[in-house]
Amino acid sequence: MQQRVDERVADLGVESIAAASIAVEPIRETVGRRPPRMLLLLALVACAIASIPLVYLLVRVGSSGLEDAVTVLGRPRVPQLLLNTVSLAAAVTATCVLVGVPTAFLLARTRLRLRGMWTVLAALPLAVPSYLAAYGWLAAVPGMQGFGASWLVLTLVSTPYVTLPVMAALRAGTTGLDDVARTLGRSAWHAFWLGTWPQIRPATLAGALLVCLYVLSEFGAVALLRFPVLTTAIQQAYGASFNRNYAAILATVLVLLAMIIVIAEQTARGRARRRFGAVTGVARHRIVNLGHWTVPSIALLSVVPALAVGLPVAVLFARLFEAETLRALDPVELGQAILNTLALSIGGAVIAVILALPIGALAARYRGRLVRLIESLGYLALGLPGIVVGLSLVFFSLSVMPALYQTGFVLAFAYGVLFMPKAIGAIRSATAQVPTSLEDVSRTLGYGQLQTWWFVTARLARPGIFAGALLVAVTAMKELPATLLLRPTGTDTLAIELWSRTDVSAYGAAAPYAAALILVAAVPAFLLSGAGRGRVDGTAS
């Protein structure tokens, strides 16, 4: 450990004695060590289950033949769709990082009044479906459409994916290395770059990965804002022309894009993970006084929740209290939709965590080609359009388990497969923060690997596992394409009720369901913000 501290201090250009009070424990080198067979087997099983949509795609593409694939990819519209998809994903991801990292720093490392309120507001856009935010903006600015409008709306609803993990990393990290750099005359920015950035870089990359994959699979907002991308073309192919081979080939292109992004994130994350691991002992948190930066900081903290939540909610409430809306409201139907939404999203979260646990634990503790392959396959579902996942599970359930077709279990299972990558990232980060020395102590006391994982690793990583489940639940509440295909007959969720009414331009009748969806999704978003976990300043261990 001391050797790694000395290496880091050498990077800063100081003597090793200056870092004597900084406790930074590297992740134990695991290259060449084989993971436990049971863990590897469970991860492979989870990976195989998550690959069902991918297998469906390969079967579809294989049945179409090479000639059809070349014909589809040679169409003049395909390069434009590809360019639109990549440029939108890159622009939204870059903007979310530029906004999310400073927001997280303000919430975690500055002396800020009403910190709990600002933390909740930073997480609240997670509760707003992208198509609902787009609807609110279209109602306020009817002429907005195209790339700029899609970039704005998706950036607003996606920024918390970067803010929340970076804020958690800042809370768990230390400012000790920053202080060492400052004592040597480095500027505040240079000290942050040398001391803090290596600690939050994995969390930033994980958040950027979620944003990028989310934008790749986005459909509702880009459809409303009339910006053609691969997902809208896939939806049109399935819904209008029923050309499933054409849609499957385009979906395969989307999967390849997701694979490239996942590999790039793994490559960028690798070096940071090798150099810094868990921070143990007493970690110093130096709190920054904002001074004359208070007003710009408050403006930065206000702009995202105001534009992502405030404007759509204002439009909704303007519709909600109209006399026609109140007359059309059926309280029993609304209550049943809320219960269905809660039951299915919680079921999906449980399934996602069960599938993600072995993959996240494997990725956090071991390296190698097989581990990287398993982790990459686990992330692929997030790059798939919901309609592709829905159709693949219709095909799978009818072929393998016809008794389960059109049951709530299949829909919850679809949520679990579709949003499992969100749980993988949270579980991997939480497990990596658990010092391996504690596991070594457990084994020296006679506990086996499974007992050590359950009594030590799982308990210490429990907040991260719980956060992953909440993230899956809040996303599943808003899911639409797979829900349209897989919902049991007569079972409607809030998202279904909202979409069915806006689809026939009954915006007033849709307002109560939209308001209920925001309120229900706001509960896990509030818990994810961590606003209730006490103060963040001072020292942490």
Side-chain angles (χ1 to χ4, degrees), residues 205 209-210 212-213 216 255-269 371-383 421 428:
L205 290 171
L209 176 66
L210 287 180
C212 198
L213 294 179
L216 283 183
V255 171
L256 292 176
L257 277 178
M259 176 71 85
I260 293 171
I261 292 167
V262 169
I263 292 174
E265 189 271 345
Q266 287 179 342
T267 304
R269 172 169 33 102
V371 174
R372 292 183 65 178
L373 177 62
I374 290 173
E375 188 185 5
S376 301
L377 290 175
Y379 272 113
L380 282 185
L382 202 56
R428 184 195 66 206

PDB file of all heavy atoms in Angstrom, residues 205 209-210 212-213 216 255-269 371-383 421 428:
ATOM      1  N   LEU A 205     -17.003   8.021 -15.984  1.00  0.00           N
ATOM      2  CA  LEU A 205     -17.109   7.163 -17.165  1.00  0.00           C
ATOM      3  C   LEU A 205     -18.343   6.271 -17.093  1.00  0.00           C
ATOM      4  O   LEU A 205     -19.022   6.051 -18.114  1.00  0.00           O
ATOM      5  CB  LEU A 205     -15.846   6.308 -17.292  1.00  0.00           C
ATOM      6  CG  LEU A 205     -14.569   7.065 -17.668  1.00  0.00           C
ATOM      7  CD1 LEU A 205     -13.352   6.153 -17.539  1.00  0.00           C
ATOM      8  CD2 LEU A 205     -14.677   7.607 -19.089  1.00  0.00           C
ATOM      9  N   LEU A 209     -21.332   6.382 -19.735  1.00  0.00           N
ATOM     10  CA  LEU A 209     -21.751   5.169 -20.444  1.00  0.00           C
ATOM     11  C   LEU A 209     -23.268   5.006 -20.380  1.00  0.00           C
ATOM     12  O   LEU A 209     -23.921   4.693 -21.394  1.00  0.00           O
ATOM     13  CB  LEU A 209     -21.063   3.949 -19.824  1.00  0.00           C
ATOM     14  CG  LEU A 209     -21.469   2.587 -20.386  1.00  0.00           C
ATOM     15  CD1 LEU A 209     -21.041   2.450 -21.834  1.00  0.00           C
ATOM     16  CD2 LEU A 209     -20.880   1.462 -19.550  1.00  0.00           C
ATOM     17  N   LEU A 210     -23.852   5.214 -19.194  1.00  0.00           N
ATOM     18  CA  LEU A 210     -25.301   5.093 -19.059  1.00  0.00           C
ATOM     19  C   LEU A 210     -26.021   6.099 -19.949  1.00  0.00           C
ATOM     20  O   LEU A 210     -27.014   5.778 -20.605  1.00  0.00           O
ATOM     21  CB  LEU A 210     -25.705   5.299 -17.593  1.00  0.00           C
ATOM     22  CG  LEU A 210     -25.378   4.165 -16.619  1.00  0.00           C
ATOM     23  CD1 LEU A 210     -25.841   4.521 -15.222  1.00  0.00           C
ATOM     24  CD2 LEU A 210     -26.049   2.871 -17.072  1.00  0.00           C
ATOM     25  N   CYS A 212     -24.912   7.587 -22.707  1.00  0.00           N
ATOM     26  CA  CYS A 212     -24.713   7.274 -24.123  1.00  0.00           C
ATOM     27  C   CYS A 212     -25.612   6.107 -24.555  1.00  0.00           C
ATOM     28  O   CYS A 212     -26.278   6.168 -25.602  1.00  0.00           O
ATOM     29  CB  CYS A 212     -23.245   6.946 -24.366  1.00  0.00           C
ATOM     30  SG  CYS A 212     -22.775   7.048 -26.082  1.00  0.00           S
ATOM     31  N   LEU A 213     -25.668   5.046 -23.744  1.00  0.00           N
ATOM     32  CA  LEU A 213     -26.511   3.905 -24.088  1.00  0.00           C
ATOM     33  C   LEU A 213     -27.989   4.271 -24.020  1.00  0.00           C
ATOM     34  O   LEU A 213     -28.803   3.783 -24.817  1.00  0.00           O
ATOM     35  CB  LEU A 213     -26.209   2.732 -23.156  1.00  0.00           C
ATOM     36  CG  LEU A 213     -24.807   2.126 -23.286  1.00  0.00           C
ATOM     37  CD1 LEU A 213     -24.621   0.993 -22.287  1.00  0.00           C
ATOM     38  CD2 LEU A 213     -24.565   1.623 -24.701  1.00  0.00           C
ATOM     39  N   LEU A 216     -28.811   6.113 -27.201  1.00  0.00           N
ATOM     40  CA  LEU A 216     -28.852   5.192 -28.340  1.00  0.00           C
ATOM     41  C   LEU A 216     -30.194   4.465 -28.429  1.00  0.00           C
ATOM     42  O   LEU A 216     -30.705   4.216 -29.528  1.00  0.00           O
ATOM     43  CB  LEU A 216     -27.732   4.150 -28.216  1.00  0.00           C
ATOM     44  CG  LEU A 216     -26.308   4.580 -28.555  1.00  0.00           C
ATOM     45  CD1 LEU A 216     -25.371   3.397 -28.435  1.00  0.00           C
ATOM     46  CD2 LEU A 216     -26.232   5.151 -29.968  1.00  0.00           C
ATOM     47  N   VAL A 255     -26.703  -2.463 -31.811  1.00  0.00           N
ATOM     48  CA  VAL A 255     -25.988  -3.303 -30.843  1.00  0.00           C
ATOM     49  C   VAL A 255     -24.479  -3.162 -31.022  1.00  0.00           C
ATOM     50  O   VAL A 255     -23.721  -3.076 -30.046  1.00  0.00           O
ATOM     51  CB  VAL A 255     -26.417  -4.770 -30.984  1.00  0.00           C
ATOM     52  CG1 VAL A 255     -25.537  -5.673 -30.140  1.00  0.00           C
ATOM     53  CG2 VAL A 255     -27.857  -4.930 -30.570  1.00  0.00           C
ATOM     54  N   LEU A 256     -24.017  -3.133 -32.277  1.00  0.00           N
ATOM     55  CA  LEU A 256     -22.584  -2.975 -32.527  1.00  0.00           C
ATOM     56  C   LEU A 256     -22.093  -1.628 -32.010  1.00  0.00           C
ATOM     57  O   LEU A 256     -20.987  -1.531 -31.448  1.00  0.00           O
ATOM     58  CB  LEU A 256     -22.300  -3.109 -34.029  1.00  0.00           C
ATOM     59  CG  LEU A 256     -22.511  -4.502 -34.621  1.00  0.00           C
ATOM     60  CD1 LEU A 256     -22.294  -4.481 -36.129  1.00  0.00           C
ATOM     61  CD2 LEU A 256     -21.571  -5.512 -33.969  1.00  0.00           C
ATOM     62  N   LEU A 257     -22.889  -0.589 -32.181  1.00  0.00           N
ATOM     63  CA  LEU A 257     -22.525   0.723 -31.628  1.00  0.00           C
ATOM     64  C   LEU A 257     -22.390   0.644 -30.111  1.00  0.00           C
ATOM     65  O   LEU A 257     -21.438   1.185 -29.524  1.00  0.00           O
ATOM     66  CB  LEU A 257     -23.595   1.758 -31.991  1.00  0.00           C
ATOM     67  CG  LEU A 257     -23.503   2.415 -33.358  1.00  0.00           C
ATOM     68  CD1 LEU A 257     -24.676   3.384 -33.548  1.00  0.00           C
ATOM     69  CD2 LEU A 257     -22.195   3.175 -33.491  1.00  0.00           C
ATOM     70  N   ALA A 258     -23.374  -0.024 -29.479  1.00  0.00           N
ATOM     71  CA  ALA A 258     -23.329  -0.159 -28.018  1.00  0.00           C
ATOM     72  C   ALA A 258     -22.083  -0.929 -27.588  1.00  0.00           C
ATOM     73  O   ALA A 258     -21.444  -0.573 -26.583  1.00  0.00           O
ATOM     74  CB  ALA A 258     -24.596  -0.860 -27.525  1.00  0.00           C
ATOM     75  N   MET A 259     -21.740  -1.968 -28.330  1.00  0.00           N
ATOM     76  CA  MET A 259     -20.546  -2.755 -28.003  1.00  0.00           C
ATOM     77  C   MET A 259     -19.286  -1.902 -28.088  1.00  0.00           C
ATOM     78  O   MET A 259     -18.408  -1.974 -27.204  1.00  0.00           O
ATOM     79  CB  MET A 259     -20.456  -3.944 -28.953  1.00  0.00           C
ATOM     80  CG  MET A 259     -19.199  -4.790 -28.773  1.00  0.00           C
ATOM     81  SD  MET A 259     -19.221  -5.725 -27.250  1.00  0.00           S
ATOM     82  CE  MET A 259     -20.144  -7.171 -27.782  1.00  0.00           C
ATOM     83  N   ILE A 260     -19.163  -1.093 -29.114  1.00  0.00           N
ATOM     84  CA  ILE A 260     -17.985  -0.219 -29.261  1.00  0.00           C
ATOM     85  C   ILE A 260     -17.895   0.753 -28.095  1.00  0.00           C
ATOM     86  O   ILE A 260     -16.811   0.986 -27.529  1.00  0.00           O
ATOM     87  CB  ILE A 260     -18.071   0.542 -30.604  1.00  0.00           C
ATOM     88  CG1 ILE A 260     -17.930  -0.437 -31.776  1.00  0.00           C
ATOM     89  CG2 ILE A 260     -17.007   1.632 -30.676  1.00  0.00           C
ATOM     90  CD1 ILE A 260     -18.213   0.183 -33.127  1.00  0.00           C
ATOM     91  N   ILE A 261     -19.023   1.304 -27.689  1.00  0.00           N
ATOM     92  CA  ILE A 261     -19.030   2.268 -26.584  1.00  0.00           C
ATOM     93  C   ILE A 261     -18.637   1.593 -25.272  1.00  0.00           C
ATOM     94  O   ILE A 261     -17.870   2.148 -24.474  1.00  0.00           O
ATOM     95  CB  ILE A 261     -20.416   2.925 -26.478  1.00  0.00           C
ATOM     96  CG1 ILE A 261     -20.646   3.807 -27.703  1.00  0.00           C
ATOM     97  CG2 ILE A 261     -20.546   3.741 -25.200  1.00  0.00           C
ATOM     98  CD1 ILE A 261     -22.068   4.249 -27.873  1.00  0.00           C
ATOM     99  N   VAL A 262     -19.174   0.388 -25.033  1.00  0.00           N
ATOM    100  CA  VAL A 262     -18.844  -0.330 -23.789  1.00  0.00           C
ATOM    101  C   VAL A 262     -17.349  -0.646 -23.737  1.00  0.00           C
ATOM    102  O   VAL A 262     -16.691  -0.466 -22.704  1.00  0.00           O
ATOM    103  CB  VAL A 262     -19.680  -1.617 -23.691  1.00  0.00           C
ATOM    104  CG1 VAL A 262     -19.168  -2.502 -22.560  1.00  0.00           C
ATOM    105  CG2 VAL A 262     -21.140  -1.276 -23.454  1.00  0.00           C
ATOM    106  N   ILE A 263     -16.784  -1.098 -24.859  1.00  0.00           N
ATOM    107  CA  ILE A 263     -15.351  -1.423 -24.883  1.00  0.00           C
ATOM    108  C   ILE A 263     -14.512  -0.163 -24.656  1.00  0.00           C
ATOM    109  O   ILE A 263     -13.514  -0.190 -23.928  1.00  0.00           O
ATOM    110  CB  ILE A 263     -14.995  -2.092 -26.229  1.00  0.00           C
ATOM    111  CG1 ILE A 263     -15.655  -3.472 -26.310  1.00  0.00           C
ATOM    112  CG2 ILE A 263     -13.488  -2.224 -26.382  1.00  0.00           C
ATOM    113  CD1 ILE A 263     -15.485  -4.149 -27.651  1.00  0.00           C
ATOM    114  N   ALA A 264     -14.916   0.944 -25.259  1.00  0.00           N
ATOM    115  CA  ALA A 264     -14.184   2.200 -25.058  1.00  0.00           C
ATOM    116  C   ALA A 264     -14.212   2.619 -23.595  1.00  0.00           C
ATOM    117  O   ALA A 264     -13.196   3.074 -23.037  1.00  0.00           O
ATOM    118  CB  ALA A 264     -14.784   3.291 -25.943  1.00  0.00           C
ATOM    119  N   GLU A 265     -15.387   2.460 -22.943  1.00  0.00           N
ATOM    120  CA  GLU A 265     -15.486   2.822 -21.526  1.00  0.00           C
ATOM    121  C   GLU A 265     -14.618   1.922 -20.666  1.00  0.00           C
ATOM    122  O   GLU A 265     -13.953   2.372 -19.732  1.00  0.00           O
ATOM    123  CB  GLU A 265     -16.953   2.735 -21.092  1.00  0.00           C
ATOM    124  CG  GLU A 265     -17.232   3.283 -19.706  1.00  0.00           C
ATOM    125  CD  GLU A 265     -17.096   2.250 -18.606  1.00  0.00           C
ATOM    126  OE1 GLU A 265     -17.065   1.041 -18.919  1.00  0.00           O
ATOM    127  OE2 GLU A 265     -16.994   2.645 -17.442  1.00  0.00           O
ATOM    128  N   GLN A 266     -14.580   0.628 -20.978  1.00  0.00           N
ATOM    129  CA  GLN A 266     -13.752  -0.307 -20.213  1.00  0.00           C
ATOM    130  C   GLN A 266     -12.272   0.042 -20.359  1.00  0.00           C
ATOM    131  O   GLN A 266     -11.514  -0.011 -19.388  1.00  0.00           O
ATOM    132  CB  GLN A 266     -14.000  -1.732 -20.688  1.00  0.00           C
ATOM    133  CG  GLN A 266     -15.333  -2.299 -20.263  1.00  0.00           C
ATOM    134  CD  GLN A 266     -15.541  -3.705 -20.782  1.00  0.00           C
ATOM    135  OE1 GLN A 266     -14.863  -4.139 -21.705  1.00  0.00           O
ATOM    136  NE2 GLN A 266     -16.486  -4.411 -20.207  1.00  0.00           N
ATOM    137  N   THR A 267     -11.867   0.398 -21.569  1.00  0.00           N
ATOM    138  CA  THR A 267     -10.463   0.750 -21.797  1.00  0.00           C
ATOM    139  C   THR A 267     -10.084   2.005 -21.023  1.00  0.00           C
ATOM    140  O   THR A 267      -9.025   2.069 -20.394  1.00  0.00           O
ATOM    141  CB  THR A 267     -10.224   0.971 -23.300  1.00  0.00           C
ATOM    142  OG1 THR A 267     -10.626  -0.203 -24.012  1.00  0.00           O
ATOM    143  CG2 THR A 267      -8.761   1.249 -23.574  1.00  0.00           C
ATOM    144  N   ALA A 268     -10.962   3.007 -21.062  1.00  0.00           N
ATOM    145  CA  ALA A 268     -10.674   4.254 -20.353  1.00  0.00           C
ATOM    146  C   ALA A 268     -10.695   4.067 -18.846  1.00  0.00           C
ATOM    147  O   ALA A 268      -9.950   4.719 -18.115  1.00  0.00           O
ATOM    148  CB  ALA A 268     -11.686   5.321 -20.760  1.00  0.00           C
ATOM    149  N   ARG A 269     -11.545   3.158 -18.370  1.00  0.00           N
ATOM    150  CA  ARG A 269     -11.670   2.939 -16.922  1.00  0.00           C
ATOM    151  C   ARG A 269     -10.526   2.125 -16.355  1.00  0.00           C
ATOM    152  O   ARG A 269     -10.173   2.262 -15.179  1.00  0.00           O
ATOM    153  CB  ARG A 269     -12.996   2.230 -16.642  1.00  0.00           C
ATOM    154  CG  ARG A 269     -13.162   1.781 -15.210  1.00  0.00           C
ATOM    155  CD  ARG A 269     -14.564   1.328 -14.893  1.00  0.00           C
ATOM    156  NE  ARG A 269     -15.272   0.697 -15.957  1.00  0.00           N
ATOM    157  CZ  ARG A 269     -15.440  -0.622 -16.065  1.00  0.00           C
ATOM    158  NH1 ARG A 269     -14.911  -1.420 -15.189  1.00  0.00           N
ATOM    159  NH2 ARG A 269     -16.151  -1.123 -17.065  1.00  0.00           N
ATOM    160  N   VAL A 371     -13.777 -12.069 -18.385  1.00  0.00           N
ATOM    161  CA  VAL A 371     -14.520 -11.152 -17.521  1.00  0.00           C
ATOM    162  C   VAL A 371     -15.008  -9.943 -18.322  1.00  0.00           C
ATOM    163  O   VAL A 371     -16.161  -9.499 -18.190  1.00  0.00           O
ATOM    164  CB  VAL A 371     -13.638 -10.701 -16.338  1.00  0.00           C
ATOM    165  CG1 VAL A 371     -14.345  -9.627 -15.514  1.00  0.00           C
ATOM    166  CG2 VAL A 371     -13.289 -11.895 -15.464  1.00  0.00           C
ATOM    167  N   ARG A 372     -14.140  -9.412 -19.167  1.00  0.00           N
ATOM    168  CA  ARG A 372     -14.531  -8.259 -19.976  1.00  0.00           C
ATOM    169  C   ARG A 372     -15.641  -8.625 -20.950  1.00  0.00           C
ATOM    170  O   ARG A 372     -16.564  -7.841 -21.194  1.00  0.00           O
ATOM    171  CB  ARG A 372     -13.324  -7.714 -20.744  1.00  0.00           C
ATOM    172  CG  ARG A 372     -12.276  -7.096 -19.838  1.00  0.00           C
ATOM    173  CD  ARG A 372     -11.146  -6.507 -20.629  1.00  0.00           C
ATOM    174  NE  ARG A 372     -11.592  -5.379 -21.448  1.00  0.00           N
ATOM    175  CZ  ARG A 372     -10.780  -4.663 -22.199  1.00  0.00           C
ATOM    176  NH1 ARG A 372      -9.502  -4.955 -22.252  1.00  0.00           N
ATOM    177  NH2 ARG A 372     -11.244  -3.657 -22.890  1.00  0.00           N
ATOM    178  N   LEU A 373     -15.587  -9.827 -21.493  1.00  0.00           N
ATOM    179  CA  LEU A 373     -16.634 -10.268 -22.420  1.00  0.00           C
ATOM    180  C   LEU A 373     -17.971 -10.390 -21.694  1.00  0.00           C
ATOM    181  O   LEU A 373     -19.017  -9.946 -22.198  1.00  0.00           O
ATOM    182  CB  LEU A 373     -16.238 -11.609 -23.043  1.00  0.00           C
ATOM    183  CG  LEU A 373     -17.277 -12.235 -23.977  1.00  0.00           C
ATOM    184  CD1 LEU A 373     -17.530 -11.334 -25.183  1.00  0.00           C
ATOM    185  CD2 LEU A 373     -16.841 -13.626 -24.425  1.00  0.00           C
ATOM    186  N   ILE A 374     -17.958 -10.993 -20.505  1.00  0.00           N
ATOM    187  CA  ILE A 374     -19.193 -11.154 -19.738  1.00  0.00           C
ATOM    188  C   ILE A 374     -19.787  -9.799 -19.386  1.00  0.00           C
ATOM    189  O   ILE A 374     -20.987  -9.558 -19.531  1.00  0.00           O
ATOM    190  CB  ILE A 374     -18.914 -11.982 -18.465  1.00  0.00           C
ATOM    191  CG1 ILE A 374     -18.611 -13.433 -18.847  1.00  0.00           C
ATOM    192  CG2 ILE A 374     -20.080 -11.915 -17.504  1.00  0.00           C
ATOM    193  CD1 ILE A 374     -18.167 -14.290 -17.676  1.00  0.00           C
ATOM    194  N   GLU A 375     -18.937  -8.878 -18.934  1.00  0.00           N
ATOM    195  CA  GLU A 375     -19.429  -7.545 -18.576  1.00  0.00           C
ATOM    196  C   GLU A 375     -19.990  -6.820 -19.801  1.00  0.00           C
ATOM    197  O   GLU A 375     -21.031  -6.162 -19.733  1.00  0.00           O
ATOM    198  CB  GLU A 375     -18.305  -6.727 -17.942  1.00  0.00           C
ATOM    199  CG  GLU A 375     -18.816  -5.398 -17.381  1.00  0.00           C
ATOM    200  CD  GLU A 375     -17.687  -4.527 -16.861  1.00  0.00           C
ATOM    201  OE1 GLU A 375     -16.521  -4.919 -17.022  1.00  0.00           O
ATOM    202  OE2 GLU A 375     -17.978  -3.453 -16.314  1.00  0.00           O
ATOM    203  N   SER A 376     -19.306  -6.949 -20.929  1.00  0.00           N
ATOM    204  CA  SER A 376     -19.772  -6.280 -22.156  1.00  0.00           C
ATOM    205  C   SER A 376     -21.132  -6.812 -22.586  1.00  0.00           C
ATOM    206  O   SER A 376     -22.024  -6.049 -22.952  1.00  0.00           O
ATOM    207  CB  SER A 376     -18.748  -6.481 -23.274  1.00  0.00           C
ATOM    208  OG  SER A 376     -17.496  -5.954 -22.915  1.00  0.00           O
ATOM    209  N   LEU A 377     -21.303  -8.146 -22.541  1.00  0.00           N
ATOM    210  CA  LEU A 377     -22.594  -8.724 -22.918  1.00  0.00           C
ATOM    211  C   LEU A 377     -23.698  -8.283 -21.956  1.00  0.00           C
ATOM    212  O   LEU A 377     -24.845  -8.093 -22.361  1.00  0.00           O
ATOM    213  CB  LEU A 377     -22.492 -10.252 -22.944  1.00  0.00           C
ATOM    214  CG  LEU A 377     -21.650 -10.833 -24.088  1.00  0.00           C
ATOM    215  CD1 LEU A 377     -21.515 -12.338 -23.935  1.00  0.00           C
ATOM    216  CD2 LEU A 377     -22.273 -10.497 -25.441  1.00  0.00           C
ATOM    217  N   GLY A 378     -23.330  -8.125 -20.682  1.00  0.00           N
ATOM    218  CA  GLY A 378     -24.321  -7.666 -19.716  1.00  0.00           C
ATOM    219  C   GLY A 378     -24.809  -6.266 -19.993  1.00  0.00           C
ATOM    220  O   GLY A 378     -25.956  -5.918 -19.685  1.00  0.00           O
ATOM    221  N   TYR A 379     -23.954  -5.431 -20.604  1.00  0.00           N
ATOM    222  CA  TYR A 379     -24.335  -4.052 -20.889  1.00  0.00           C
ATOM    223  C   TYR A 379     -25.109  -3.902 -22.190  1.00  0.00           C
ATOM    224  O   TYR A 379     -25.695  -2.852 -22.448  1.00  0.00           O
ATOM    225  CB  TYR A 379     -23.081  -3.174 -20.969  1.00  0.00           C
ATOM    226  CG  TYR A 379     -22.660  -2.608 -19.642  1.00  0.00           C
ATOM    227  CD1 TYR A 379     -21.470  -3.003 -19.046  1.00  0.00           C
ATOM    228  CD2 TYR A 379     -23.443  -1.675 -18.985  1.00  0.00           C
ATOM    229  CE1 TYR A 379     -21.073  -2.496 -17.821  1.00  0.00           C
ATOM    230  CE2 TYR A 379     -23.063  -1.155 -17.766  1.00  0.00           C
ATOM    231  CZ  TYR A 379     -21.872  -1.567 -17.188  1.00  0.00           C
ATOM    232  OH  TYR A 379     -21.499  -1.060 -15.980  1.00  0.00           O
ATOM    233  N   LEU A 380     -25.080  -4.910 -23.041  1.00  0.00           N
ATOM    234  CA  LEU A 380     -25.628  -4.738 -24.393  1.00  0.00           C
ATOM    235  C   LEU A 380     -27.119  -4.446 -24.393  1.00  0.00           C
ATOM    236  O   LEU A 380     -27.617  -3.748 -25.276  1.00  0.00           O
ATOM    237  CB  LEU A 380     -25.348  -5.997 -25.219  1.00  0.00           C
ATOM    238  CG  LEU A 380     -23.926  -6.112 -25.746  1.00  0.00           C
ATOM    239  CD1 LEU A 380     -23.806  -7.327 -26.635  1.00  0.00           C
ATOM    240  CD2 LEU A 380     -23.552  -4.864 -26.531  1.00  0.00           C
ATOM    241  N   ALA A 381     -27.862  -4.995 -23.419  1.00  0.00           N
ATOM    242  CA  ALA A 381     -29.314  -4.809 -23.432  1.00  0.00           C
ATOM    243  C   ALA A 381     -29.702  -3.341 -23.378  1.00  0.00           C
ATOM    244  O   ALA A 381     -30.743  -2.948 -23.912  1.00  0.00           O
ATOM    245  CB  ALA A 381     -29.938  -5.560 -22.254  1.00  0.00           C
ATOM    246  N   LEU A 382     -28.858  -2.510 -22.747  1.00  0.00           N
ATOM    247  CA  LEU A 382     -29.187  -1.091 -22.641  1.00  0.00           C
ATOM    248  C   LEU A 382     -29.110  -0.398 -23.995  1.00  0.00           C
ATOM    249  O   LEU A 382     -29.700   0.657 -24.192  1.00  0.00           O
ATOM    250  CB  LEU A 382     -28.228  -0.405 -21.657  1.00  0.00           C
ATOM    251  CG  LEU A 382     -28.717   0.897 -21.041  1.00  0.00           C
ATOM    252  CD1 LEU A 382     -30.047   0.690 -20.334  1.00  0.00           C
ATOM    253  CD2 LEU A 382     -27.696   1.459 -20.092  1.00  0.00           C
ATOM    254  N   GLY A 383     -28.378  -0.980 -24.930  1.00  0.00           N
ATOM    255  CA  GLY A 383     -28.306  -0.400 -26.265  1.00  0.00           C
ATOM    256  C   GLY A 383     -29.388  -0.903 -27.193  1.00  0.00           C
ATOM    257  O   GLY A 383     -29.452  -0.474 -28.342  1.00  0.00           O
ATOM    258  N   PRO A 421     -28.148  -3.508 -16.986  1.00  0.00           N
ATOM    259  CA  PRO A 421     -26.878  -2.755 -16.991  1.00  0.00           C
ATOM    260  C   PRO A 421     -26.816  -1.646 -15.961  1.00  0.00           C
ATOM    261  O   PRO A 421     -25.740  -1.343 -15.434  1.00  0.00           O
ATOM    262  CB  PRO A 421     -26.827  -2.197 -18.418  1.00  0.00           C
ATOM    263  CG  PRO A 421     -27.627  -3.151 -19.229  1.00  0.00           C
ATOM    264  CD  PRO A 421     -28.739  -3.604 -18.325  1.00  0.00           C
ATOM    265  N   ARG A 428     -21.044  -3.020  -9.349  1.00  0.00           N
ATOM    266  CA  ARG A 428     -19.601  -3.071  -9.592  1.00  0.00           C
ATOM    267  C   ARG A 428     -18.867  -1.972  -8.822  1.00  0.00           C
ATOM    268  O   ARG A 428     -17.855  -2.231  -8.158  1.00  0.00           O
ATOM    269  CB  ARG A 428     -19.332  -2.916 -11.088  1.00  0.00           C
ATOM    270  CG  ARG A 428     -17.868  -3.062 -11.481  1.00  0.00           C
ATOM    271  CD  ARG A 428     -17.666  -2.534 -12.875  1.00  0.00           C
ATOM    272  NE  ARG A 428     -17.906  -1.112 -12.931  1.00  0.00           N
ATOM    273  CZ  ARG A 428     -18.289  -0.436 -13.997  1.00  0.00           C
ATOM    274  NH1 ARG A 428     -18.518  -1.068 -15.110  1.00  0.00           N
ATOM    275  NH2 ARG A 428     -18.481   0.864 -13.948  1.00  0.00           N
TER     276      ARG A 428
END
